[in-house]
Amino acid sequence: MIVKAYPIDMVRATDELGGENDGNCMLEPFVGQEFDSSDAALNFYSSYAQRVGFKVRIGQLYRSRTDGTVSSRRFVCSKEGFQLSSRTGCPAVIRVQRRDSGMWVIDLFHKDHNHHFEHDDGGETLPTFQVKAPRSAKLMVNVSHRRKIHLFKDVEHAFSCSSGIIDSKHLNERGNVIPPRGEPCVGLEFNSANEAYQFYNAYAANAGFRIRIGQLFRSKNSGSITSRRFVCSKEGFQHPSRLGCGAFMRIKRHESGKWVVDRLKKEHNHDLEPQPETQKRNLTVSKRFTGELNGGFEGKEPVNLNYGIVIKRTRENKIGSDWYPGLFEYFQSKQAEDTGFFYAVEVENSNCMSVFWADGRSRFSCSQFGDTIILDTSYRKSAYAVPFATFFGVNHHKQPVLLACALIAEESVESFSWLFQTWLRAMSGCHPLSIIADQDKAIQQAVAQVFPRTLHCFSSWQIRKKEQDNLNMLDETFRFEYEKCIYQSQTAEEFDVGWNMLVGKYGLKDNAWFKEMYIKRNNWVPLFLRGTFFAGIPTTDNFESCFGAAFNAQTPLAEFISRYEIGLERRRDEERKESLNSLNLQGFLQTKEPVEEQCLRLYTHAVFKVFQKELLHCYRYLGFKIYEEVALSRYLVRRCENDNEKCVVTVISTNLTVNCSCKMFEYEGILCRHILRVFQILGISEIPPRYILHRWTRNAEYGTLLDVDTDGGPQELKAVMLWSLREAACKYIEAGATSLEKYKLAYEIMREGGRKLRWQR
């Protein structure tokens, strides 16, 4: 039997409707039922679910080992699993499998649910169908107003409390606040895991700490969840705010269906902060929701519950409300193609706010090149631009590489803190060494809170603008002396002397901006930035935006997505071309130095040119030993025709550790001319491995995988490995397609590799 499962927006289910549709809408799924496509199966199951009184989520998909196409899909009840507090581990599911004929057939159907059905009027209702936007090949998103409303309802029902926060929607609307039972103890029983969570959360709020959802344990036989842990928010060490606290409560499901506390540890390794009595009746709940890889939500947004009355605080939002449904549709389509795709949405008072996303390739790039990042918010230069921000870094070809994207709803500490915290979750806790971002107080505070060990360098375009606003009345002489002080000072003392001279000579003692810039000198003056790694990014110049000025306030969503994908593909084409150049183009040696040959072999083409320039310049310098004590020596290295251009190089001979006062290696990761000159004096013919940064080598995209942090679990590691292998395969394909001979060679290499993989398996 073949069921004609019509698109949802083309079917009405009413008792008065006759014809073939009437029978289809009243059908119940059964094993062996056939559909033309998996979408048709989803639409049919969704209409059945709405008639019965539950909602559907898209579950796991399975791919063919032969060609990678989707061979099977699961559609589950929205209350399947326990990732969210609103879920009950419902087992209801249908699974459809693609046959050789191209038809999709139900091969598994579990009808029973473990929860009450929800009808809008409290009783049985006829199905009301939601309009689902088609996903076209060009990703042209067209979502009706009715669909938009339903989508937000789905988001609201999917809210999570995994950060240790009470589900305020359930508290307010259903009145299921768990009455106080005193302190937790072993043997305490609960009707559900959600009830246990709410009890422990209420206890934690009174005691003065916060909780998170920890590990869960499943049955080896049925796969159902048998045990859950709720831990102190300071458990573990994945974030600087966490202290490895051991306090937790574990619950275990008994055969009776009850959940019982079987393990408990109350002792904390940090101070508790109990609320004053006057505040205990006003429970402040954090609930800023975040949609993750699986489309679920969890979060933290301030909501005050005062005797059941929700007091909402309104925040500005620069993103059009009509954008969110289309964005979610786009993100879900990308997830189906890319297992490593991540997205998150900040929700405040049930309203969507900022949005963050990164595909698998960008997340893999971060594992290689996330040591220094630029947050490009150049949309702020225009009042009429889409609030589209990008995170990007510098790859091993010294090109900008996209790491993540965001739409920023408002420029507040709250929004930027959420953005950076989401970055950490998406990038497996990657804390950059440095970040270039605007000087705004909101960004400064957010960086200090989320990246406490990261140096924040102010973006130069904003400094230039503020210089014009605050110093435009001063003449060219001031400009010359001002730039000399900033860009030519070699020591902190020299900078202070030059700055104080400017203050006294031009009467800037009471200039508030000038005072502030002196206080913040470590964040923008090149002298104070040299000791931190920036991958050689010129912090005093404006950098090119990844997408240019492609978007404005009139840009429709479909056009935004199209332009975004075109710009992203253009960037990645440039990366691939440069990788091919490094493989195919051979640099020229200009000296007989062994270190030049060593670096030609190891570095990418672009990085080798930087090193070669330093090597050639080192011949213009003279070096003199000025200090020696046991294994430590210091050399004064100065330019032959300019005595004022000089640096001090320190060498420890026991382990061949070197550093130069110019700090080029610390800043760019490439040895400077002064150190290379001292190597020549000492007769060192090979650069020690510690001074060849792996991120600059030809094999940077492969070797970093060996050191990747796998705390994110097997799914994270699989996504990283997948993109690494895809990138390698793309290079073989591009190189092999240039001629018939290379094609045969590339094909033979890949076939031989395939034979070895089969042998190992």
Side-chain angles (χ1 to χ4, degrees), residues 12 110 186 199 299 400 455 485 522 701:
R12 289 183 59 219
H110 195 293
V186 173
F199 165 76
L455 178 59
C485 172
N522 290 337
E701 56 240 320

Side-chain angles (χ1 to χ4, degrees), residues 539-552:
T539 56
T540 57
D541 294 335
N542 291 335
F543 45 80
E544 181 187 356
S545 173
C546 267
F547 294 91
F551 314 114
N552 57 51

Side-chain angles (χ1 to χ4, degrees), residues 293 466 646:
L293 284 175
K466 292 191 175 183
K646 55 191 175 184

